[in-house]
Amino acid sequence: MYRLMIVDDEDEERIGIRFLLNKFGFSFEIEEAADGREALEKMGDFEPDILFTDVKMPFVNGIQLATEIRQEYPGLPIIFFSGYDDFEYVKQALSLQAVDYILKPVDPGEFMRTISTVLERLQDQEEQDSRTQYFHRHFLLSRLLNGVSLQKLEAGYGSQELDVLRRYTRLILLEFDGDFFGKEVTSISDFAGLFQEILPCPYEFLDINPSQGVFFLQDYDPDPDCVRKIAQCIHLTVEKQYGWKGYLAVSEKLDHPDQIGPAFERTEESLGERFFYKDSYVYPMDANGQEKGSALADDGQLLQAIEQGIICRDMAGVRKDVEILMDKCRSNGFQSYIYTRFVCANLLKLICQSLPSGKERLAGLVEQLYSCTRFADAETMIRTLEDELEQQLEPDRESPRHMIQLVEQYIREHYEDVLSLDILAEKVYLTPHYLSSIFIQEKGVGINKYIKTIRMDKARELLMKTNRKISDICIQVGYTNVSYFCRSFRNEYGVTPDQYRRQDRPERTDAERTGRE
């Protein structure tokens, strides 16, 4: 909240200004002064963001007040209001870079416009200062990562500018086997914001090349195992959001900014260990490191199994896997309340996705979960949702029609991917032969023909509605060979993709398309 000081020797005028501020919905922390001398006495403690002052006052008038304040607060917005329409006063106000000179009685419309203008300038300045500080911090951190000493940085920057570097207490290096930040991430700030609920402290994130980024934890010194759990949460979040497996290395505690460069080098070295370990994503390894890596994989696999069980309406399997997770949480198997809440939050998300209005309820439920002071309260929330889920899934859960609906949905959402009878049967836990049989019974057409129909429909839509190259459309609808795609399209519609695009052609019915082999 911004701070505003009102200086006027008349009580009624100060009350009037407060009234107008309330009337127009401006919210300020307000301090009052009856004259310029009192205002100067209060300036040091209050430090206003805006000064609203009368011109004519006893002891120290508004012009004298502004002149003294300008020396110590050169950027402070000053608004004069006065009953004197005197050119000399206006000229002096302009020389002091006043925002405005408002005549009494104050016009409400002019008042509102003036305050709005000042607020916009303050907000713009804050954003500009924030961006400048952001790039400045990242530049300094990058220099330290590259081995530049703090002593050398101090030669070019003031100690106050470097104070923030002393607050970083841990590094977590995130590395990918590929160009992750170059291909997948369009906004680094959005990526960094994904971890606000996971990280229990202020942090900075710096992408240092297309495959590496570093988290700088601020004013945080838990035991090393807790930091490892935070790294595990980061890994699972990235995998869930982007489908990429990231490897993380946790530094030792930092006591001084000069340790940042060497600590970064050691985290890079520790990631070299991943050559020797499978399904381990957090380093350096310790005596129990391999078991911890496997546990991380198990946790992710359990959540995936629960998600698949919900899709397949296998409530018995869902309850079994949820109980395994709850048992680990209950017995402090994760050894970290941060990681425990993270796992529970992901479980809540999976369940809510399948409940009526679950997506609308999710934000409130997650907030409630993070406010739980005992795991028993969190477990009660999850059990209640689990019961809701069972009621939702129970009707027709063994129905072949439902299985076919799941397969249809999967085909429509993944037509651009490699699809086959074996792949689809695995998704719904059926044998390929049985799935093929019930699919033909329900749809009157084989799975391969159905896949082709969906792909051709999408190809036709893209040809009609976009100007994309035919080779790009070919790939987008799941074909890798352009010649084969064009031949299939011609067999389906009687013309090549290029001819179809250049002429209006009546749409064929589903019966015509699915009836032709």
Side-chain angles (χ1 to χ4, degrees), residues 64-134:
Q64 294 169 328
L65 169 64
T67 302
E68 290 198 35
I69 284 176
R70 268 286 170 258
Q71 298 176 14
E72 190 170 352
Y73 303 94
L76 178 68
I78 300 175
I79 303 169
F80 288 105
F81 64 113
S82 173
Y84 297 89
D85 188 6
D86 189 302
F87 177 73
E88 188 60 33
Y89 285 141
V90 175
K91 187 171 69 172
Q92 289 178 294
L94 290 174
S95 70
L96 290 167
Q97 298 177 328
V99 173
D100 206 344
Y101 189 100
I102 301 174
L103 289 176
K104 297 180 182 179
V106 176
D107 176 75
E110 183 182 4
F111 177 85
M112 182 186 70
R113 289 190 294 272
T114 298
I115 297 297
S116 297
T117 299
V118 174
L119 286 175
E120 287 177 9
R121 291 180 185 177
L122 287 173
Q123 289 162 1
D124 289 344
Q125 187 61 49
E126 277 189 355
E127 290 178 7
Q128 183 178 342
D129 291 346
S130 178
R131 286 194 296 269
T132 301
Q133 291 170 10
Y134 172 85

